[in-house]
Amino acid sequence: MKILVLHGPNLNLLGKRNVMHYGNLTQKELFQMLKEQFPNVSFDFYQSNHEGQLIDWIQTADHFYNGLLINPGAYTHTSVAIRDALEVTQCLKVAVHLSDITKRENFRQTDYVQAVCDQTFMGKQAKSYVEAIAWMIEQPPKKVNL
Ligand code: DQA
């Protein structure tokens, strides 16, 4: 299975960000941990602080991957454009958050992404990613019409 993992703004700073919400793994450690836990999955990992770059990568998902895992960071709460890009993407799509955004500030209660993903995992820090990928592996393959 080929999975594209996309990280939005500020997730390159994991390790320095609020440990209570995001845990103490750096982004590099998090990605390494996923590779080790799922040796049979072929991963590509990308991070960008730019909305358009994330959208360009989302648009490649159906061409090259069976599944897309995205933590859009703060764009979760603001980006109709990322939502629209995900909506048209047909491969398996999972949204992941390290923290539980439903239990945080009011401005994080708007979630443009969840409704256009097949599943959302959150609130367990790095374990949210592990649960997401384990779930993706179990899903029957989707037929994507390119
Ligand atoms: C986050 C939650 C967002 O509200 C925040 O802006 C992030 C990370 C998470 O993983 O918990 O950057 O997506």
Side-chain angles (χ1 to χ4, degrees):
M1 183 175 202
K2 287 194 75 179
I3 297 180
L4 174 61
V5 177
L6 294 183
H7 261 182
N10 299 308
L11 291 166
N12 55 316
L13 299 180
L14 288 180
K16 291 186 190 151
R17 294 185 74 184
N18 187 318
V19 171
M20 238 180 56
H21 290 306
Y22 305 121
N24 49 21
L25 290 188
T26 64
Q27 177 177 250
K28 197 175 166 194
E29 289 166 344
L30 172 62
F31 291 165
Q32 186 58 36
M33 183 273 284
L34 295 177
K35 281 200 269 185
E36 283 165 16
Q37 291 240 3
F38 299 98
N40 297 328
V41 174
S42 166
F43 288 108
D44 281 331
F45 298 101
Y46 297 111
Q47 187 276 334
S48 179
N49 295 324
H50 304 277
E51 193 175 23
Q53 176 64 81
L54 291 163
I55 291 164
D56 285 345
W57 285 328
I58 292 168
Q59 290 183 6
T60 70
D62 281 341
H63 297 279
F64 301 112
Y65 302 94
N66 314 105
L68 168 63
L69 183 159
I70 183 163
N71 182 347
Y75 284 139
T76 307
H77 318 297
T78 62
S79 180
V80 175
I82 286 179
R83 180 203 159 93
D84 287 350
L86 287 168
E87 187 176 34
V88 74
T89 300
Q90 297 172 54
C91 71
L92 195 60
K93 296 164 285 184
V94 173
V96 174
H97 305 283
L98 294 146
S99 63
D100 184 349
I101 58 175
T102 67
K103 301 213 169 94
R104 296 184 61 190
E105 302 94 327
N106 280 344
F107 60 83
R108 291 184 211 275
Q109 303 313 309
T110 300
D111 183 344
Y112 285 106
V113 168
Q114 176 154 22
V116 289
C117 285
D118 297 295
Q119 197 59 263
T120 299
F121 293 84
M122 66 170 84
K124 297 187 178 169
Q125 299 180 354
K127 215 175 145 210
S128 308
Y129 289 71
V130 174
E131 287 184 0
I133 292 160
W135 182 83
M136 290 173 94
I137 291 169
E138 280 171 15
Q139 302 314 300
K142 264 195 176 180
K143 197 172 174 333
V144 173
N145 297 311
L146 290 175

